[in-house]
Amino acid sequence: MDQISFDDGSLDFHVPPVEFLRASVFAGARDRVIAGKLALYEGNHLFNRLVLEEGRYLCYLAALSLHSAQDMAQPSTWLTLGRLQREVTTLGVASRNRVEAQVSCLRKYGFLTQQPHAPDRRVRLLVPNDGFLSHDARTLDLLANGLAEFGLSPTEASRSVSGTELHRAMRRATLPHLRGISHLIRRHPQLSPFFAHDCGYMVLLLLLRNAAATGGRGVSTGYQRLAVQAGVSRTHVRRIIEAARDAGLLTTEARGGHDIGLTPAMWQAADRWFADQFALTDLLLRQGLAHLCPAGC
């Protein structure tokens, strides 16, 4: 399990996901990451709609990675709409038009700007704003802090470099792995009822947090409360819950989503997902540090 290979891309983990999954601290680290992500996403309905869905998430990730990896002396590396479209469409998760629509939304709400390049004003570069970069850095920090609990990653070495430098280096390291990350998401078909819907990931995190607070048992909530927390309609939440129930991940005992149970299959699927997230973050951290400190930090 330490290498996941595909016909057109691979993720060669340094620490296999199963090592994280077997660690005695796994459940606590998982729950703290879930709580931290909800602290970032909950109530931020606009940002949730823009990024918490597979195609849009990979577009967002590609934009940040291209921005971090670009070399202004090499025009072929610049983050332009055309370059972003080529990168994302080769992953098979979005069309050129969909990428352009996503960029338009990010520009409309100030997450991205499009600026003419001074030497050649015909070239228009896409530039993430500070808030966009900061939000992503905080997300990476959550996972990196979780890694520190396992004692399996070079988290001590990461403290010798600035957070901004490390964030940029980790996103630079992300670029060649975009195809592998896309496949990594798709190797969790059990969670597709959540991943395939707008804000479905947010609903997943809310259910896991609420269930963890009761020792993994049922969730005393309702579709309306989940809808308010996720920033979508009650009907949309009901469809997500029903799809997850039909997939054997949840049980529903009362009308209106007031008694939702998480099945063992749900916890197993979620744990495998977070084990992969820890393994991926470990890989990016190691490669980011190798770029910043070739002789060792």
Side-chain angles (χ1 to χ4, degrees):
M1 188 125 171
D2 60 337
Q3 185 172 24
I4 304 166
S5 297
F6 308 96
D7 292 340
D8 51 359
S10 67
L11 285 172
D12 189 2
F13 293 128
H14 187 89
V15 179
V18 69
E19 291 298 318
F20 292 100
L21 197 55
R22 289 173 178 166
S24 61
V25 299
F26 176 80
R30 175 204 64 202
D31 291 347
R32 280 182 280 279
V33 167
I34 290 170
K37 285 197 170 189
L38 284 171
L40 284 174
Y41 290 124
E42 196 170 356
N44 194 345
H45 302 326
L46 171 61
F47 200 84
N48 293 348
R49 285 177 177 274
L50 291 176
V51 304
L52 293 185
E53 181 269 337
E54 180 188 356
R56 277 175 280 183
Y57 172 70
L58 286 165
C59 182
Y60 144 92
L61 199 59
L64 291 168
S65 301
L66 288 166
H67 170 73
S68 296
Q70 68 185 347
D71 180 349
M72 298 314 296
Q74 298 184 38
S76 63
T77 70
W78 294 348
L79 174 54
T80 62
L81 175 59
R83 176 84 194 283
L84 182 61
Q85 288 173 317
R86 288 192 297 274
E87 198 70 44
V88 176
T89 55
T90 59
L91 300 177
V93 297
S95 66
R96 290 178 61 88
N97 286 343
R98 190 177 180 199
V99 173
E100 185 171 7
Q102 175 73 348
V103 167
S104 295
C105 284
L106 291 170
R107 290 181 58 202
K108 177 180 178 180
Y109 294 105
F111 295 114
L112 277 178
T113 59
Q114 195 170 39
Q115 302 175 359
H117 184 47
D120 185 351
R121 299 185 67 83
R122 293 172 299 177
V123 176
R124 302 185 70 81
L125 302 178
L126 295 175
V127 182
N129 76 353
D130 290 342
F132 197 28
L133 294 172
S134 176
H135 192 281
D136 184 57
R138 292 199 299 272
T139 302
L140 277 179
D141 284 345
L142 280 173
L143 286 160
N145 289 338
L147 287 179
E149 300 187 41
F150 293 90
L152 300 171
S153 303
T155 50
E156 287 292 328
S158 68
R159 295 171 186 168
S160 65
V161 297
S162 77
T164 300
E165 288 178 327
L166 185 59
H167 171 232
R168 188 178 183 91
M170 289 177 70
R171 279 297 171 239
R172 184 185 294 113
T174 302
L175 185 57
H177 296 306
L178 286 175
R179 184 172 296 278
I181 292 171
S182 175
H183 283 287
L184 189 68
I185 294 171
R186 295 180 191 183
R187 83 173 191 136
H188 292 274
Q190 302 94 332
L191 296 176
S192 61
F194 300 101
F195 292 167
H197 291 85
D198 285 355
C199 294
Y201 189 51
M202 180 74 171
V203 173
L204 170 65
L205 295 177
L206 288 166
L207 291 173
L208 293 171
R209 181 188 66 182
N210 294 346
T214 64
R217 299 190 301 275
V219 177
S220 297
T221 185
Y223 296 147
Q224 185 59 40
R225 183 179 178 189
L226 288 170
V228 170
Q229 291 173 300
V232 292
S233 71
R234 182 181 182 279
T235 299
H236 186 76
V237 169
R238 177 176 56 78
R239 287 172 180 161
I240 294 172
I241 299 299
E242 289 177 350
R245 180 199 62 200
D246 293 345
L249 301 176
L250 303 174
T251 59
T252 53
E253 302 296 338
R255 292 177 60 85
H258 291 287
D259 189 3
I260 300 172
L262 278 65
T263 68
M266 171 72 150
W267 282 110
Q268 290 168 7
D271 284 352
R272 287 195 295 269
W273 167 256
F274 283 102
D276 276 359
Q277 294 304 297
F278 284 127
L280 174 61
T281 306
D282 171 75
L283 174 65
L284 299 179
L285 176 63
R286 290 173 186 275
Q287 293 185 350
L289 288 172
H291 177 84
L292 292 173
C293 314
C297 291

